[in-house]
Amino acid sequence: MKRKVLIILLLVSMLSVSLTLSSAVAEEFSVLGKPLYLFGYVTQGATYGLKNTYDTEQGFNSAMMNLFAEGDYQISNTLGFYASSMVTVDWMYQLKES
């Protein structure tokens, strides 16, 4: 019974987070009179094992979070800069320790 309640709470919380957050954000700033565009998104996910097998264990196995950001700055018609970065974190190790 406790496991079913935990699964239902997890599904409800994941649904509420996905409905309240937008998947991508874009902002435009003016730097030296030229537009600077910043884009980014955050994703979260979790995996849950129903039983112990050779590659998973019963219970939560991962709690992944991805942060993605990119920027575009066009100085002139012939010169522009573009940068992007992505960070992926698995919080499961910290969650299992506490």
Side-chain angles (χ1 to χ4, degrees), residues 8-89:
I8 290 172
L9 286 175
L10 176 68
L11 291 174
V12 168
S13 65
M14 288 173 50
L15 179 64
S16 65
V17 167
S18 66
L19 292 177
T20 58
L21 297 177
S22 62
S23 60
V25 175
E27 292 289 331
E28 180 181 347
F29 302 98
S30 179
V31 177
L32 301 175
K34 303 291 182 178
L36 167 66
Y37 299 100
L38 296 177
F39 309 94
Y41 64 83
V42 177
T43 60
Q44 296 178 346
T47 60
Y48 187 85
L50 299 176
K51 63 179 182 174
N52 288 329
T53 62
Y54 67 95
D55 62 346
T56 61
E57 61 182 47
Q58 187 173 1
F60 286 102
N61 292 302
S62 71
M64 302 294 288
M65 180 177 72
N66 296 313
L67 300 167
F68 178 74
E70 63 182 0
D72 185 18
Y73 183 61
Q74 193 74 26
I75 294 177
S76 68
N77 290 336
T78 58
L79 180 62
F81 294 98
Y82 173 82
S84 69
S85 179
M86 184 169 196
V87 176
T88 301
V89 179

